[in-house]
Structures are given as structure tokens and as C-alpha cells.
Amino acid sequence: MNQKMLGIIDATTYKPEIEELTFHRSLAAVPFASRYRLIDFVLSNMVNSDIESVAIFPKYQYRSLMDHLGSGKQWDLNRKKDGLFFFPSPHLHNEYDEFGSFRQFSDHIDFFLRSTQEYAVITNSYTVCNIDYKKVLAYHLENGCDITEVRKDGASLQMFIMSTKLLLNLIHNKEQTGFKTLADVVNENKNQLNICHYEFYGYAAVIDSISSYYKHSMDMLKPEIWHEIFLKSRPILTKAKDEPPTKYGKEAVVKNSLIANGCKIEGHVENSIIFRAVHIGKDTVVKNSVIMQKSQIGDGCLLDHVIADKDVKVEAETIVKGSVLLPQILRKRTIQGALMNS
């Protein structure tokens, strides 16, 4: 039996709860865990499950997403047959905002018609976990399911497996059935399909708000969670960067933090996630914070419960404080001065 799977990543979703990090990028391209993007976890799960054909359906601000993924080489998806495909929305109609929109898929129906894989995995673009879809497919086949939904603690992770034939039927018949999205089919099930639920017991984080982004970023500092996500046997792949090792000054202190390559650390970093090419100045304290790529933190600063987006500049002697429930956001390419203290 042909048990090959087709990967479908719905990257159309817009979440106002996290818009401060998505002004210049799609949700799928939001940086996470010091050197990754959210899409890396979703795409790596598919590749590690022997999925060789993956279609990404983006809608908003997807230039940075396409730049990050390129031809798919880092995921071994730059292939002559199958590989990585981008299908941007041809319209900005509201019908595309719902996860698993059949209208979105029908605009690119030729892709599905040409696909030879018997089964399809459909996921969102912003769930962080390490899951083997081959195990989900085995469960799907063993239980004679029409659609299998992956859940965590009873809540949907927006991951589904079904036959490609059934998916095509749902797309073709959307006007007759009235089903606009995959969720409509699963929740209403007027066709009396056999809907199964696969419970995932590993760590799973749905990143759809500032609070969830901050909480799950801090989770990455816990060794038991880190080792559950970043497995040697099922690596999380990302775009390679040729950067030197991080340089630590004589007075630098680092405690319980993730520090990416290319940084210069001269101050005190604690319980924080520092992305590539960040500079932390002398006598500066960064605690409980996320500092993204190429941000420059001056001398004598204090940052506590802060999320600093890419290319942020914090001038010397500046104090910026947030809280666990309301971290302070410094938007991309902004300058934070001592007179703007929070």
C-alpha cells in the first residue's frame, strides 16, 4: 500500500494577539528559541516523518518567510520531483483567514491533482513540538479513520491526517456541503465521517499571542523541555548562518540562558534567550528577556521581562521593565533611549 504523505502547511492565519511581532513578517516566520523560526518546527516534523512534498499556503507578509526557507535546501526539499512549494493567496478575501480554508486550497487545485501521495497531513504554521506523523498515520489506518485530528490534553493542535482523495472531495464539494474549512467538517460532521482523535503526550506549544510566545520561550530554558523538543534522532532544521562563536567579555556573566552564535556579551545575562549577532554592553543586566537578531543593548542598561525584536537599539543607561503577564515589547528597528524609561 502507498503510505506516502503529502505535507500541507496553512500559513494564512493572522492573530491580532501577536501583531506586535508580525507587523513585518508572517506568524510562521516569528523567531523562536534563539536561532529558529516557528515554521522550522512544523516543517522539520514533516521532513523527519519522510514527507518529501510540502506545500505552504501563506497570505500576509510572507517575504521574510520565503527568504528564510529559500529552495528548501536545509530541509532536503530542493528536489527535481516533489520538494517545497509556495502558494500565496491570490486574494485577501476573509474566507482565507480560517485555518484549512477550502477556498484557499481550491485556488491551487492543480497541485493536489498532480500529487501522487495517498495521504495528506494538514497543519498550522505556529505549533512547536516534535511529533512523528508516521505514528499518527499508523493510528489512522489501524482505526479505520476518515480524518484523524491530533490533540493535546483534549485541545486540537490543528494537525490532521486524511486521504488525499477525501481532501479533494471536500474541496470540490465545498459549495454543496457548505463546509468552508476543515474545522467545519470535523466539528459538524454531517457526512458521518469516522473522525478520530490522536492524543499527543509530548510537549506542544501553540504560539498565537504575546503571552504564549513569552511563556513558551521561557520554557525553552528548562532542560527537560529542551531535550524533548531538540532530539538528535529528529533534529529541528533551520537556515544555516556562517557566523563566528559568541565572544564573552571579562566581566560577562551568563546564567540559565540560550546564546546563539555571533554575539558579543559584556554584561550580565540571566534566564534569557539571545539570538544571533546581539551585543550586550558592559554593566548591562538582561533578565527574563528575549533579544532577537542583531539588537544592540548599550552599556549600563537594565532589561527585565522584555521582548526586543530584530535590530532594536537600546541606548546606554536605559531601563526597560515588563512583567510575566505583560512583557515589554520593543518593536523591530526601534530605538529605546534613557528618556523613554518604562
Side-chain angles (χ1 to χ4, degrees):
M1 179 185 292
N2 174 17
Q3 294 187 7
K4 289 189 175 181
M5 293 178 283
L6 176 69
I8 300 167
I9 301 175
D10 187 328
T12 62
T13 307
Y14 166 76
K15 297 284 186 179
E17 297 85 356
I18 198 172
E19 65 179 3
E20 288 184 281
L21 295 180
T22 56
F23 280 117
H24 305 284
R25 61 172 75 91
S26 68
L27 182 54
V30 169
F32 190 78
S34 81
R35 60 190 299 263
Y36 302 92
R37 305 291 184 110
L38 293 181
I39 191 72
D40 293 338
F41 298 86
V42 183
L43 191 56
S44 295
N45 284 332
M46 291 187 171
V47 171
N48 290 332
S49 301
D50 296 333
I51 296 175
E52 299 176 347
S53 181
V54 179
I56 299 178
F57 292 83
K59 179 178 179 182
Y60 300 104
Q61 304 281 16
Y62 52 81
R63 184 195 61 79
S64 62
L65 177 63
M66 295 181 71
D67 177 67
H68 176 70
L69 296 177
S71 65
K73 181 179 179 180
Q74 302 297 330
W75 296 264
D76 192 28
L77 288 173
N78 56 331
R79 299 166 174 264
K80 291 182 178 180
K81 181 182 179 182
D82 294 329
L84 184 65
F85 302 88
F86 283 93
F87 296 113
S89 298
H91 310 289
L92 293 180
H93 195 281
N94 289 340
E95 284 188 48
Y96 293 105
D97 287 341
E98 296 292 330
F99 169 79
S101 166
F102 295 137
R103 170 83 179 271
Q104 164 81 344
F105 296 154
S106 67
D107 285 333
H108 304 283
I109 195 65
D110 286 349
F111 169 75
F112 296 98
L113 294 173
R114 290 196 307 267
S115 298
T116 59
Q117 292 80 4
E118 186 171 351
Y119 299 95
V121 178
I122 305 169
T123 78
N124 67 27
S125 62
Y126 49 88
T127 296
V128 174
C129 67
N130 198 318
I131 186 172
D132 187 348
Y133 288 118
K134 289 184 289 186
K135 292 183 179 179
V136 184
L137 179 60
Y139 174 92
H140 177 86
L141 296 174
E142 182 181 340
N143 290 276
C145 309
D146 292 313
I147 300 176
T148 296
E149 177 185 42
V150 180
R151 292 186 171 187
K152 171 70 176 177
D153 297 328
S156 176
L157 291 179
Q158 289 189 329
M159 301 176 184
F160 301 87
I161 284 185
M162 67 184 70
S163 70
T164 307
K165 181 179 178 181
L166 174 58
L167 178 58
L168 279 167
N169 287 337
L170 292 170
I171 295 171
H172 283 308
N173 298 321
K174 65 184 184 301
E175 302 298 336
Q176 290 82 354
T177 63
F179 293 141
K180 295 183 178 180
T181 69
L182 186 53
D184 291 344
V185 177
V186 172
N187 295 331
E188 298 181 28
N189 195 19
K190 294 176 182 177
N191 292 342
Q192 298 300 305
L193 296 171
N194 183 15
I195 309 295
C196 300
H197 301 119
Y198 177 93
E199 185 69 18
F200 178 65
Y201 294 100
Y203 179 86
V206 178
I207 311 297
D208 57 1
S209 66
I210 292 296
S211 60
S212 64
Y213 177 83
Y214 182 77
K215 176 186 182 301
H216 295 301
S217 291
M218 294 299 105
D219 280 350
M220 295 298 108
L221 298 176
K222 301 173 182 177
E224 66 275 16
I225 292 178
W226 175 267
H227 291 300
E228 189 173 337
I229 293 294
F230 298 96
L231 302 173
K232 288 184 178 180
S233 58
R234 297 176 49 79
I236 304 301
L237 306 168
T238 190
K239 183 178 180 179
K241 297 275 188 176
D242 294 325
E243 291 176 317
T246 287
K247 180 179 180 180
Y248 296 91
K250 292 182 179 179
E251 305 297 323
V253 176
V254 176
K255 298 180 180 180
N256 191 40
S257 297
L258 298 179
I259 311 290
N261 290 349
C263 296
K264 184 178 181 181
I265 310 296
E266 299 182 279
H268 182 112
V269 179
E270 185 173 349
N271 297 327
S272 294
I273 295 176
I274 311 298
F275 284 75
R276 295 179 174 112
V278 168
H279 178 211
I280 307 293
K282 295 179 181 178
D283 301 317
T284 283
V285 176
V286 176
K287 299 191 301 182
N288 312 307
S289 296
V290 178
I291 312 297
M292 295 187 195
Q293 299 95 307
K294 298 182 181 179
S295 290
Q296 305 293 308
I297 315 300
D299 297 341
C301 296
L302 171 60
L303 275 64
D304 191 3
H305 292 95
V306 171
I307 300 174
D309 208 333
K310 291 178 63 176
D311 295 307
V312 163
K313 181 179 181 182
V314 178
E315 296 180 342
E317 308 296 330
T318 300
I319 299 174
V320 186
K321 288 186 177 182
S323 66
V324 172
L325 297 179
L326 193 63
Q328 185 71 35
I329 309 296
L330 305 182
R331 291 187 180 178
K332 186 177 180 180
R333 298 195 183 98
T334 57
I335 298 175
Q336 189 80 6
L339 297 178
M340 307 174 189
N341 289 351
S342 301

